[in-house]
Amino acid sequence: QITLKESGPTLVKPTQTLTLTCTFSGFSLSTIGVGVGWVRQPPGKALEWLALIYWDDDRRYSPSLKSRLTITKDTSNNQVVLSMTNMDPMDTGTYYCAHRLEGGLVGAPFDYWGQGTLVTVSS
Amino acid sequence: QSVLTQPPSVSGAPGQRVTISCTGSSSNIGSGYEVHWYQQLPGTAPRLLIYANTNRPSGVPDRFSGSRSGTSASLAITGLQAEDEADYYCQSYDSSLRGLVFGGGTKLTVL
């Protein structure tokens, strides 16, 4: 059974760096084909893909946010960490981590999601 | 402005059939990249509903179906039920952006 859970601060100040941790179970990020990504959703708005990390440490980022994002993995502890610098009130929203559907699809969907964590950016 | 365009809202009565469109371009759906659909019930995380244009994950009722043609895709829901009231999102890959892209979402209201 695959599960994921996000953790991190619920409130950050503008200009600060946000660090979120995704702790998962039911799969290993050292298995060929496995990937974990992050998606966010501002209140009342659409989903937005942020980043994705693969079993081989290949990392992909949203072009519009690439300069602010870093995704890393800790395979031994089954965790993926996302950092986002220079936080702004516009970054307020729910941040989800998710497991990428395994297989050969380019742009594969996310088949398992965490419950999400609401991050508010405010001074 | 989302890369994939969806109607903001659709509605239908119980038992009816509704469709939700997802319009892309030559750098995503039109290039043959697969389209996936998610259902998001209020206050919950998205749930994968359709993957690779037409495939349903285990547990998804066959009332839900997907299709793709040209630069667009569609999600069809037959036999509408009150529990289908949710937001629906399409997702694909864009070769120009070199990343995943989502639609703006469609709110389905069951009348």
Side-chain angles (χ1 to χ4, degrees), chain A residues 1 3 6 8 20-21 36 39 43 45 56 58 68 80 83 85 92 94 97 104 108-109 117 122:
Chain A
Q1 178 190 3
T3 65
E6 307 85 354
L20 295 173
T21 299
V36 173
V39 174
K45 296 190 177 181
D56 60 357
D58 185 15
R68 299 173 54 204
V80 171
S83 295
T85 62
T92 292
T94 298
C97 67
T117 184
S122 174

Side-chain angles (χ1 to χ4, degrees), chain A residues 45-59:
Chain A
K45 296 190 177 181
L47 302 170
E48 179 184 19
W49 171 68
L50 300 178
L52 183 59
I53 190 164
Y54 293 93
W55 80 100
D56 60 357
D57 210 33
D58 185 15
R59 308 172 196 192

